[in-house]
Amino acid sequence: MSLVALDGTPLTIVGCPLRRFVPNCASLTGNAISAANDSLLMIGYVFTEDGASHTIDTTGSSSFGWRCGPSLTFANAGTTVKVGLAAVDTANGPPVRAVNVANAITFDVAAVFTGGGGGITGSAWQTSVPTTGTKTVANGDFLAFAVQMTAKGGSDSLQVQCASQGGIVGVMPTVTTGSSYSNTTQLPNAVITFSDGVRGYFYGGYVASSSTTQTWSSADTLKEYGNMIQLPVPAKAYGIVFNAALFGNTDAILYSDPLGTPAAQKTVSIDLNTIGVASAGPIVVLFPSPYSMSANTPYAAILKPTTSTSIQADFKTYASSAHQSSESGSNGYAINRNTGAFAAQNSSKDRFGIGLLVGAFDSGGGGGSFSVGVIGC
């Protein structure tokens, strides 16, 4: 059994939710829905946790996960809001849109809410249970996850929050808004839970209930932060990748056994004078030689300030630790420590933009085949 290196530069990033090398923990942007047929559409290719086909309907664990922003008025019985899945319109566009009739989306499966009847909460992650329809989704299906006000009563309005991704328009997956279909610079923020409990996500999307920053220095009680990373196959780590603002000299460290007896296997010391600007990355640092990691074994990518000046790093929070599976390589989460073993942060619901650069995988002992995947980014 051997580890086979990828040709060229090792570019597989594991452990951190970096998206197209823009800030990993983008702010959640509110999109107003305030008129009849106003909508927010999240469109792209869906992957399922196990790569198989699954059905979402009005039974079992079926639900749609999305985030409502703080601006919500939902009191008039004349208002109807639908949350659900629809096919993508291939006859009209761009911008891309869902199949519709006079801008009323043709939902295959949906949760339907009436103003004054509850079911939608402001400033919170929503778990909307379907009330009508059924849809079987295969891994790799191209579809639309939509929130639409199909009828408006009074002054009702709501806000759907997705992640800004650096001002780039027209990427895929994508988010479009309104009844006239305007492009945004956002990424889908959605979870599809099928009737059997398996989840689906938009590949390249960004699932988060909230995002914020952590600031720490060598003088603080907790001096080291990062992510625990555990891969299902042996691999080689070539360096550490992170999004963080460095305001002093910093060590980027790969630890083995972080949850037991942490041992620093690789350390790269970063002098602040060598950083272009003291601001968020992404920053890539390489080890002098790669480190071979074992399968199903915890490791950690950690940032540690070596002076009393601080580090500020973004992290995002999921509504459920189960949503870690929205990042390839779900067995990873934010950790921190003072001394001794690292501990999970926020019941394993957080993840920093701190990960490993990996470039070799187990050949399986067959002499040439190897498995490649983007895990955790």
Side-chain angles (χ1 to χ4, degrees):
M1 184 178 293
S2 61
L3 296 179
V4 179
L6 306 183
D7 292 337
T9 303
L11 286 179
T12 299
I13 302 167
V14 302
C16 63
L18 295 174
R19 290 288 181 263
R20 300 180 185 88
F21 272 79
V22 298
N24 62 289
C25 290
S27 60
L28 296 180
T29 300
N31 301 273
I33 298 176
S34 58
N37 288 339
D38 260 6
S39 64
L40 180 130
L41 295 163
M42 297 179 254
I43 297 175
Y45 294 92
V46 170
F47 71 93
T48 62
E49 289 178 311
D50 60 359
S53 297
H54 297 273
T55 297
I56 180 169
D57 53 24
T58 59
T59 69
S61 299
S62 297
S63 69
F64 302 109
W66 56 286
R67 195 173 198 284
C68 183
S71 179
L72 174 68
T73 302
F74 194 53
N76 193 296
T79 300
T80 302
V81 172
K82 294 183 179 181
V83 181
L85 301 180
V88 176
D89 184 356
T90 58
N92 300 284
V96 65
R97 62 204 66 184
V99 171
N100 65 87
V101 177
N103 296 324
I105 294 169
T106 305
F107 286 93
D108 296 318
V109 56
V112 182
F113 301 98
T114 300
I120 301 176
T121 304
S123 299
W125 184 262
Q126 314 297 306
T127 302
S128 302
V129 176
T131 56
T132 183
T134 181
K135 188 174 183 67
T136 297
V137 178
N139 190 74
D141 275 357
F142 187 57
L143 54 78
F145 182 116
V147 180
Q148 184 172 49
M149 180 178 286
T150 57
K152 175 185 172 71
S155 59
D156 283 4
S157 67
L158 72 151
Q159 207 179 51
V160 181
Q161 289 188 315
C162 294
S164 172
Q165 56 91 38
I168 304 172
V169 177
V171 297
M172 186 60 65
T174 194
V175 174
T176 58
T177 60
S179 58
S180 57
Y181 311 108
S182 299
N183 279 315
T184 72
T185 59
Q186 298 170 39
L187 295 171
N189 182 14
V191 177
I192 304 166
T193 302
F194 300 101
S195 60
D196 58 5
V198 173
R199 283 165 290 272
Y201 309 97
F202 286 103
Y203 187 82
Y206 187 90
V207 175
S209 180
S210 65
S211 60
T212 187
T213 59
Q214 177 69 49
T215 302
W216 71 100
S217 76
S218 61
D220 292 335
T221 300
L222 297 175
K223 299 176 176 63
E224 299 180 69
Y225 289 81
N227 287 330
M228 188 281 287
I229 301 164
Q230 182 171 306
L231 303 182
V233 295
K236 284 185 179 180
Y238 286 75
I240 289 180
V241 182
F242 59 89
N243 266 315
L246 306 183
F247 299 101
N249 298 341
T250 300
D251 282 348
I253 307 170
L254 167 62
Y255 283 101
S256 61
D257 196 20
L259 307 179
T261 305
Q265 299 296 338
K266 296 289 180 179
T267 301
V268 177
S269 295
I270 304 167
D271 191 308
L272 182 64
N273 293 325
T274 67
I275 301 299
V277 292
S279 62
I283 295 172
V284 180
V285 296
L286 296 181
F287 303 143
S289 60
Y291 178 79
S292 294
M293 301 187 298
S294 300
N296 302 310
T297 303
Y299 297 93
I302 298 296
L303 295 183
K304 177 182 180 181
T306 55
T307 65
S308 59
T309 52
S310 63
I311 296 172
Q312 185 179 77
D314 296 333
F315 70 89
K316 66 175 179 175
T317 298
Y318 300 101
S320 166
S321 61
H323 294 171
Q324 294 278 3
S325 60
S326 64
E327 302 292 341
S328 303
S330 59
N331 200 355
Y333 47 81
I335 56 177
N336 56 52
R337 76 164 183 172
N338 181 355
T339 59
F342 284 87
Q345 178 171 301
N346 190 27
S347 301
S348 305
K349 292 190 289 187
D350 292 344
R351 187 176 289 220
F352 282 99
I354 303 171
L356 296 174
L357 192 66
V358 174
F361 299 85
D362 181 12
S363 68
S369 62
F370 57 91
S371 174
V372 177
V374 179
I375 306 170
C377 69

